[in-house]
Amino acid sequence: MIVDQIWTANAYRNFNYLIACAETGEALAVDPLDHEKCLAAAEAKGWKITQILNTHEHRDHTGGNHAMVAATGAKVLAHRNAKDKIPGMDRGLRAGEVIKIGKTVELECLDTPGHTMAHICLLAHGDRPALFCGDTLFNAGAGNCHNGGHPVELYSTFASQLAKLPEETLIYPGHDYIARNLAFTLDREPDNAKAQAMLPEMEKQDAAKALVTTLALEREINTFFRLTSRSVIRRLREAFPELPDEPDAKTVFLRLRDLRNKW
Ligand SMILES: [Zn+2]
Ligand SMILES: [Zn+2]
């Protein structure tokens, strides 16, 4: 499996992806909003885009579908419940389904509600597991729930699915928000040494050559995976004095999500 992370350099800071079979050159485009950049990248590598996967129905993820289909004839795949929201969907996906690309790539669909209620993450098994997580998980952060989502579902997706993936899983999110998210982590956990060390570097990183994190690194720098950290809880109780000494993980997650909305 070959992954090309494409930086759109747009105001929303979207990442698009091409995932290709090294043997046949067939490729799947994930959320190809910047269809021109995606097509140019495929052409430069000699790949043929045969499928489009929309992680969810938001326009900054689906807005390139029409032009991409017109140029390639690619099939459009998305969560089965996004059918009424994504025009021209060819295949509705459910949890556990497998998407094949060429001869060598198989991607497992995870049903990951929270950011919206029709959100798919793709899990590549292979030499090294990789997760294409749309707007569910970001580097050092989590998706918001303002436009059709629900924070309780997002917590459940994190706890019951994402947190259980192998530590070495590579994380490929739908946007570059790492610097802002690290700053939030430090607001919530000022003594997080790893986040302190990374923030200055990430503030000046070129998103066209973005750092690809792992789940292990996310556990260190992503406050939404640090729900039992003593300092996260101590700081949270300053904001919410009614919280008990040892609040449960779900309560911590929901309060953090709430604070991030206003931060
Ligand atoms: Zn979204
Ligand atoms: Zn988005």
Side-chain angles (χ1 to χ4, degrees):
M1 181 179 85
I2 312 172
V3 176
D4 191 6
Q5 182 179 55
I6 294 164
W7 168 235
T8 62
N10 68 355
Y12 302 108
R13 309 190 65 79
N14 290 85
F15 283 128
N16 300 169
Y17 296 91
L18 296 179
I19 308 172
C21 168
E23 226 172 272
T24 68
E26 284 161 271
L28 173 145
V30 180
D31 296 335
L33 175 68
D34 194 330
H35 50 94
E36 288 175 346
K37 273 191 188 165
C38 291
L39 286 166
E43 192 175 350
K45 298 204 157 79
W47 295 344
K48 181 173 165 37
I49 297 170
T50 55
Q51 299 176 86
I52 295 166
L53 179 283
N54 291 140
T55 54
H56 63 293
E57 69 273 27
H58 288 159
R59 186 74 190 155
D60 62 309
H61 297 256
T62 61
N65 287 7
H66 185 75
M68 182 63 90
V69 170
T72 63
K75 299 287 181 220
V76 176
L77 288 64
H79 194 291
R80 56 202 282 265
N81 295 343
K83 194 167 70 245
D84 299 334
K85 297 169 186 145
I86 300 179
M89 227 175 90
D90 295 291
R91 178 176 170 192
L93 303 163
R94 64 179 83 208
E97 268 188 62
V98 172
I99 298 169
K100 295 188 175 178
I101 309 169
K103 288 187 188 158
T104 59
V105 181
E106 293 196 352
L107 303 167
E108 180 189 347
C109 297
L110 308 183
D111 186 348
T112 51
H115 173 66
T116 75
M117 299 309 282
H119 193 297
I120 290 281
C121 290
L122 295 177
L123 179 63
H125 302 280
D127 312 341
R128 178 129 191 218
L131 183 72
F132 298 86
C133 38
D135 289 0
T136 297
L137 167 64
F138 294 125
N139 297 130
N144 69 49
C145 307
H146 304 320
N147 297 298
H150 201 292
V152 170
E153 300 290 338
L154 189 65
Y155 167 70
S156 162
T157 289
F158 267 65
S160 67
Q161 299 192 69
L162 305 186
K164 293 182 176 166
L165 297 175
E167 293 294 308
E168 70 274 21
T169 304
L170 296 169
I171 305 300
Y172 292 111
H175 294 264
D176 170 45
Y177 295 151
I178 191 165
R180 180 97 178 121
N181 284 338
L182 282 171
F184 181 69
T185 291
L186 287 169
D187 180 63
R188 293 292 93 215
E189 190 183 6
D191 58 350
N192 186 319
K194 187 76 187 173
Q196 279 169 9
M198 283 180 70
L199 180 58
E201 270 173 69
M202 291 300 110
E203 279 175 333
K204 53 180 197 259
Q205 109 163 324
D206 175 2
K209 297 176 209 132
L211 170 75
V212 177
T213 67
T214 60
L215 186 64
L217 179 57
E218 293 298 332
R219 284 192 204 284
E220 289 186 75
I221 62 170
N222 190 325
T223 196
F224 294 94
F225 282 121
R226 301 184 59 73
L227 309 176
T228 57
S229 149
R230 288 317 306 165
S231 47
V232 168
I233 292 171
R234 196 180 323 114
R235 282 277 289 152
L236 204 58
R237 293 186 72 221
E238 290 169 22
F240 303 102
E242 72 280 12
L243 285 181
D245 268 357
E246 294 188 3
D248 61 83
K250 180 176 169 184
T251 300
V252 174
F253 185 99
L254 295 177
R255 297 292 175 122
L256 288 170
R257 187 53 267 172
D258 199 37
L259 287 174
R260 182 66 174 85
N261 292 342
K262 298 166 205 149
W263 187 75

